[in-house]
Amino acid sequence: MSRTRWRLGLSTTALLTASALLPSPAHAEAVADYTITVDPSAQGPAIDDTMYGVFYEDINRAADGGLYAELVQNRSFEYSTDDNASYTPLTAWAAEGAAEAVNDGGRLNERNRTYLSVAAGSTVTNAGYNTGIRVEEGRKYDFSVWSRAESGTTLTVALRDAAGTLAKVREVAAKGKWRKYTATFTATRTSNRGRLAVTTTAPAALDMVSLFPRDTYRHQPNGLRKDLAEKIEALRPGFLRFPGGCLVNTGSMADYSADSGWQRKRSYQWKDTVGPVEERATNANFWGYNQSYGLGYYEYFRFAEDIGAMPLPVVPALVTGCGQNRAVDDDALLKRHVQDTLDLIEFANGPRTSEWGAKRAEMGHPEPFHLTHLEVGNEENLPKEFFARFERFRAAVEAEYPDITVVSNSGPDDSGATFDTAWQLNRDAGVAMVDEHYYNGPQWFLQNNDRYDSYDRNGPEVFLGEYASQGNAWKNALAEAAFMTGLERNADVVKLASYAPLLANEDSVQWRPDLVWFNNHASWNSANYEVQKLFMNNTGDRVVPSKASGTPAVSGPVTGAVGLSTWATSAAYDDVRVTSADGKTLLSDDFSGDASRWTHSGGGSWTVQDGQ
Ligand code: AHR
């Protein structure tokens, strides 16, 4: 046995974060000795290559205006007040002359309902995302538009900013019924403030007005923004969990109805997101904007394959979560979702001769995507209702595809009644893998390094699908790294782990912290990203057991605060009491006074009324 003694240049308190715990200056100077004992001849658990991966959700505008390389915002005029109170079908567009969004029988197709009717001599201009459309000198940009116009109509297409033209103007001769037209620009100047303008010589209907950089990730059509995709690829993720989160387990689970028109605010349902892009109905995104589904299931599978990651899709379980807690009681609908899940497996893995394998081949990928895992549900707060439905999915998948692992979950928290009930149900039913989520402070991560040491080795395996230590500061990254050593030590039970969320457009942030940040022309990594990269690029084969002695103990008083909050609702609170484990009251308030101890942060409002 070799024994190594290292002198670590850390004060014993350097890992603590709460200011109330800061040592006196004299104490801060102290340097302690620690001993790490490594036994290279002993064998700990094997670590799977897939252990560390990424969780991608279309939150913080991670898709449109983010990873999806489309430069035109609201290209199909489908933005709606259903998505966001400030939206109209003309959001991101400006008109000189007459232009009107129309939703009538002259539409492009049933799932792309609104189009733009532009009068002769008028110009419509798109503002892109963030400060505008980003173009780089010398690079090519592919324009396309669907148009319906009389023969002899000319569409003039220009790329410009306030300082002038950004590329040679293009002309498109439109004729007759709906048809797709294309043109290519080469940028003569770099700009982050570009605008795309279309002028028509005669009345014209326009839809799917699109501009893509030629230089997408791997030069793929309908492709991904290169810098963002490459940042994800550089992590070398073992898996890609997609498409969400709350995105999946919220909204309506109902059937599409052509009679009532497109039903918006649907949960993310994979069949809505495949096929020709102009036939993918856009939808309200749970995070308060519109999602085009241009980046859909085919593109996710393709991306997973390109970066060498195992695809891990999440389908809704017909129990909503994320503040909408409701179980959908509709057996026919449940059966349809179960069938959709079987079809998803066929879409990913089926032969070209199968119905859904043929669709995949038609989209450009005759070979299978090798799906091995899929998750049903996300963070349901109603564990019993969730589990009853989960079992229907699992039974159907196992009957037809016994090699597919169906992943369950344990609710939105690291512990508590929902967590315990969900785990019990999963354990009793012999579920293969359970997804855990938690967003806690850095101190929690330091204190819970041993969380999985005591997990049952005969129970379900753990997929830590979402975690973050509530900050992008260096101390957060360090706390996460420390915690990850605990995941790795328990690699026999923790099989998969991913930080969350992955991407954030700096101008549309619904959730922070995030791993990678961007705007329309730049992207930058967080300290947390560097930690993830370090672990993912250096995944070991096997744990070598080690012991540390005299490790810094979390000592001194633990201080903090208690928060009361709501999400999209109102609530009254009274008689708040926090007690210590030995029964001492640490805080109590019956709101009979002035509530001066409480401070307000975030949105919404509150007031003390009638002693509540
Ligand atoms: O990662 C952000 C959100 O956190 C996810 O959508 C959800 O699963 C969790 O609550």
Side-chain angles (χ1 to χ4, degrees):
M1 177 146 96
S2 82
R3 200 173 156 85
T4 316
R5 193 172 164 82
W6 286 312
R7 189 160 192 265
L8 301 182
L10 288 174
S11 82
T12 53
T13 49
L15 298 179
L16 304 181
T17 55
S19 55
L21 296 178
L22 284 179
S24 66
H27 188 184
E29 295 302 314
V31 174
D33 281 348
Y34 307 112
T35 304
I36 298 177
T37 309
V38 180
D39 180 0
S41 64
Q43 287 216 333
I47 307 165
D48 297 340
D49 290 342
T50 44
M51 172 143 187
Y52 301 115
V54 288
F55 165 48
Y56 175 93
E57 174 164 22
D58 183 5
I59 185 174
N60 309 316
R61 280 196 183 274
D64 299 314
L67 186 59
Y68 185 50
E70 173 64 82
L71 295 166
V72 174
Q73 186 175 177
N74 189 16
R75 66 182 175 188
S76 59
F77 310 99
E78 301 292 328
Y79 272 30
S80 145
T81 48
D82 282 348
D83 312 328
N84 184 301
S86 69
Y87 284 177
T88 74
L90 286 172
T91 296
W93 290 93
E96 277 169 53
E100 189 192 1
V102 182
N103 180 350
D104 66 10
R107 61 177 65 94
L108 179 57
N109 62 58
E110 282 308 302
R111 292 194 169 216
N112 191 340
R113 302 178 72 81
T114 306
Y115 61 93
L116 192 67
S117 172
V118 188
S122 301
T123 300
V124 288
T125 305
N126 190 270
Y129 295 94
N130 298 96
T131 53
I133 291 173
R134 153 80 172 185
V135 292
E136 275 177 74
E137 186 179 341
R139 303 252 180 209
K140 287 194 160 42
Y141 295 85
D142 291 316
F143 166 82
S144 64
V145 64
W146 283 78
S147 180
R148 176 166 49 72
E150 292 296 323
S151 280
T153 305
T154 300
L155 303 178
T156 305
V157 192
L159 255 177
R160 57 183 181 233
D161 65 7
T165 69
L166 290 166
K168 200 170 152 212
V169 164
R170 300 283 161 196
E171 289 194 341
V172 168
K175 41 183 181 290
K177 291 188 183 141
W178 283 111
R179 197 183 294 213
K180 186 176 178 180
Y181 302 95
T182 60
T184 299
F185 292 98
T186 303
T188 49
R189 215 160 33 83
T190 294
S191 174
N192 302 330
R193 298 175 182 278
R195 299 288 184 266
L196 179 77
V198 183
T199 308
T200 179
T201 54
L206 306 181
D207 211 338
M208 296 299 288
V209 186
S210 170
L211 186 72
F212 264 83
R214 174 77 54 87
D215 197 16
T216 56
Y217 174 68
R218 297 196 178 211
H219 299 283
Q220 283 156 341
N222 196 45
L224 306 182
R225 190 174 131 173
K226 202 173 171 191
D227 60 331
L228 293 176
E230 286 180 349
K231 279 188 156 63
I232 299 170
E233 181 179 41
L235 289 167
R236 299 179 61 194
F239 64 88
L240 171 69
R241 177 178 182 244
F242 65 91
C246 290
L247 194 66
V248 171
N249 69 337
T250 52
S252 159
M253 311 281 168
D255 291 320
Y256 166 76
S257 150
D259 295 342
S260 61
W262 180 248
Q263 188 177 5
R264 304 180 81 88
K265 300 205 172 180
R266 284 158 63 80
S267 58
Y268 198 109
Q269 299 184 34
W270 79 271
K271 286 182 180 172
D272 296 343
T273 76
V274 295
V277 285
E278 66 277 9
E279 290 172 20
R280 302 182 196 175
T282 77
N283 192 9
N285 178 299
F286 172 77
W287 299 105
Y289 48 92
N290 177 280
Q291 54 194 342
S292 75
Y293 289 146
L295 171 53
Y297 257 72
Y298 176 81
E299 290 76 20
Y300 286 123
F301 276 125
R302 184 177 65 180
F303 185 45
E305 180 178 76
D306 288 344
I307 61 177
M310 170 180 96
L312 206 167
V314 187
V315 298
L318 273 72
V319 177
T320 56
C322 304
Q324 298 183 353
N325 311 329
R326 185 173 47 87
V328 180
D329 271 319
D330 182 336
D331 202 57
L333 189 62
L334 178 61
K335 281 191 182 129
R336 195 268 286 168
H337 277 263
V338 169
Q339 186 56 49
D340 279 0
T341 305
L342 298 175
D343 293 345
L344 172 60
I345 300 170
E346 188 175 284
F347 178 74
N349 295 351
R352 304 162 68 167
T353 47
S354 63
E355 182 189 351
W356 289 98
K359 291 229 186 306
R360 182 195 67 238
E362 211 175 284
M363 290 186 74
H365 203 286
E367 298 308 319
F369 281 122
H370 306 293
L371 179 70
T372 58
H373 289 61
L374 77 84
E375 184 168 357
V376 176
N378 173 73
E379 289 193 5
E380 282 75 17
N381 256 311
L382 304 170
K384 290 187 181 135
E385 290 81 350
F386 159 70
F387 201 73
R389 288 157 183 78
F390 171 84
E391 282 294 64
R392 297 276 295 274
F393 284 86
R394 186 170 71 134
V397 172
E398 284 180 356
E400 209 164 319
Y401 300 102
D403 294 337
I404 298 275
T405 301
V406 185
V407 182
S408 178
N409 76 77
S410 54
D413 299 308
D414 62 81
S415 56
T418 299
F419 178 89
D420 291 342
T421 308
W423 257 104
Q424 193 61 49
L425 290 164
N426 285 310
R427 208 178 287 120
D428 291 350
V431 165
M433 188 176 268
V434 174
D435 185 5
E436 295 191 350
H437 295 176
Y438 34 83
Y439 297 90
N440 294 327
Q443 193 161 337
W444 184 94
F445 282 89
L446 294 176
Q447 288 169 333
N448 285 274
N449 178 279
D450 61 355
R451 176 180 174 89
Y452 297 105
D453 292 357
S454 55
Y455 266 50
D456 180 2
R457 267 48 195 172
N458 299 313
E461 293 176 332
V462 174
F463 169 23
L464 176 50
E466 295 182 29
Y467 69 97
S469 72
Q470 297 174 340
N472 279 144
W474 192 81
K475 69 181 179 191
N476 298 94
L478 183 61
E480 287 153 12
F483 187 73
M484 289 171 82
T485 65
L487 301 180
E488 199 153 296
R489 191 173 59 250
N490 289 287
D492 52 335
V493 66
V494 183
K495 288 294 177 187
L496 307 168
S498 44
Y499 181 96
L502 181 59
L503 297 179
N505 185 322
E506 65 172 351
D507 288 343
S508 178
V509 184
Q510 293 87 47
W511 191 287
R512 59 177 79 230
D514 302 287
L515 209 60
V516 176
W517 292 78
F518 63 90
N519 54 29
N520 64 348
H521 62 280
S523 53
W524 52 99
N525 301 330
S526 61
N528 320 61
Y529 173 95
E530 300 303 337
V531 162
Q532 293 295 321
K533 190 172 169 198
L534 197 66
F535 277 76
M536 282 189 229
N537 278 264
N538 299 282
T539 312
D541 298 321
R542 187 169 280 282
V543 175
V544 180
S546 63
K547 277 204 173 105
S549 71
T551 50
V554 176
S555 59
V558 176
T559 61
V562 55
L564 306 173
S565 72
T566 59
W567 189 350
T569 186
S570 58
Y573 295 96
D574 202 357
D575 297 327
V576 179
R577 208 156 79 87
V578 180
T579 52
S580 64
D582 58 4
K584 260 193 240 131
T585 297
L586 303 173
L587 176 148
S588 76
D589 199 338
D590 63 3
F591 298 103
S592 53
D594 61 1
S596 56
R597 280 191 293 169
W598 299 84
T599 53
H600 179 209
S601 59
S605 62
W606 70 285
T607 172
V608 176
Q609 248 176 12
D610 306 327
Q612 298 185 322

